[in-house]
Amino acid sequence: MIDPEDREQQADVTRRLLYFLNAPVAEYCRLRGVLPAPGAVRIAIRAGDDENARGFLYEIPNDIVTPYNVPGLLRTVLSGPQLYSSSDVNEVMGMTLIRLRPEDITPDPEPEQGRALTVVQALSGPGNDENPFLIGFLMHGDGLLRLYVQRTDRPGIIGADIRLTETPATALIASISSLVEEEQYRQLAPDDDPHCDLLVDLTNW
């Protein structure tokens, strides 16, 4: 039986890694699965080209790494040679199991696409499918993301510009449905964007 906090973290890591089913985690490295383990999450990776591919399981302890940092940790480990103690290497399900020590690894920064994905996933569900809040998005400018949102209590589409920071904008994401209603952030709809009726600038929030 997995501890409830571990189960919650396991589910969060699983959601965050779904993107990598369609994109490599690192060059020649594809996600094969996310497996539960006591106090840890195990990430299954297929590394190498088709003829010489090998399976690896990277075990990451739950109490040291947040789900948000797991992709960056994997990118660091998969992008260059690493040294492991023999006590940290085993064999499980035909894959080489490697227990990572995150305190000794500096995670690669999350690329812009990954930061945008975090925001879009947080705002797109779970929610009311009949009255969705987020109905579109556009990455534009230098680290900017425009969210196209619609409130059920008013007509029109609101474009909300936010800045993609290195750490998740958790407070902003949680508050965005009320922030788009505040007059101080409102601007006229941009002439070059016919997809919204009103623009809200939250880049300095």
Side-chain angles (χ1 to χ4, degrees):
M1 180 69 82
I2 293 181
D3 181 273
E5 288 186 10
D6 286 344
R7 185 170 65 244
E8 186 177 324
Q9 179 141 331
Q10 171 78 28
D12 198 348
V13 171
T14 299
R15 284 191 298 271
R16 290 177 188 279
L17 291 180
L18 287 178
Y19 166 78
F20 294 106
L21 287 173
N22 283 330
V25 182
E27 191 174 11
Y28 299 114
C29 296
R30 308 288 299 201
L31 177 72
R32 300 297 290 163
V34 182
L35 307 173
V41 61
R42 290 178 174 176
I43 313 299
I45 298 289
R46 182 179 171 89
D49 56 30
D50 289 339
E51 294 180 4
N52 303 304
R54 291 183 58 196
F56 292 88
L57 265 180
Y58 291 94
E59 183 175 295
I60 303 170
N62 288 335
D63 58 348
I64 297 176
V65 179
T66 66
Y68 178 79
N69 288 319
V70 167
L73 189 70
L74 285 172
R75 279 193 301 273
T76 298
V77 169
L78 297 172
S79 297
Q82 307 288 327
L83 296 176
Y84 303 106
S85 165
S86 59
S87 62
D88 291 330
V89 180
N90 210 329
E91 194 80 14
V92 174
M93 297 175 67
M95 294 176 279
T96 302
L97 170 67
I98 300 174
R99 294 180 182 87
L100 298 181
R101 299 182 182 273
E103 62 274 16
D104 299 329
I105 303 169
T106 302
D108 272 2
E110 188 72 21
E112 192 173 273
Q113 292 89 340
R115 287 178 270 151
L117 179 64
T118 297
V119 174
V120 171
Q121 282 181 328
L123 290 173
S124 60
N128 186 342
D129 289 338
E130 293 182 3
N131 296 300
F133 177 64
L134 178 71
I135 58 173
F137 66 93
L138 174 68
M139 295 170 62
H140 70 106
D142 185 18
L144 298 179
L145 177 66
R146 179 165 295 165
L147 302 166
Y148 295 93
V149 301
Q150 192 164 33
R151 294 184 59 96
T152 56
D153 56 350
R154 69 165 54 225
I157 297 171
I158 302 170
D161 280 345
I162 69 169
R163 194 169 301 283
L164 294 169
T165 59
E166 293 297 329
T167 54
T170 309
L172 173 59
I173 293 168
S175 306
I176 200 164
S177 61
S178 59
L179 289 172
V180 296
E181 292 295 304
E182 296 189 18
E183 295 283 346
Q184 61 180 320
Y185 301 117
R186 289 187 181 180
Q187 299 180 355
L188 293 176
D191 294 335
D192 63 346
D193 188 349
H195 307 96
C196 58
D197 305 293
L198 176 72
L199 184 64
V200 173
D201 185 358
L202 301 175
T203 55
N204 294 315
W205 191 84

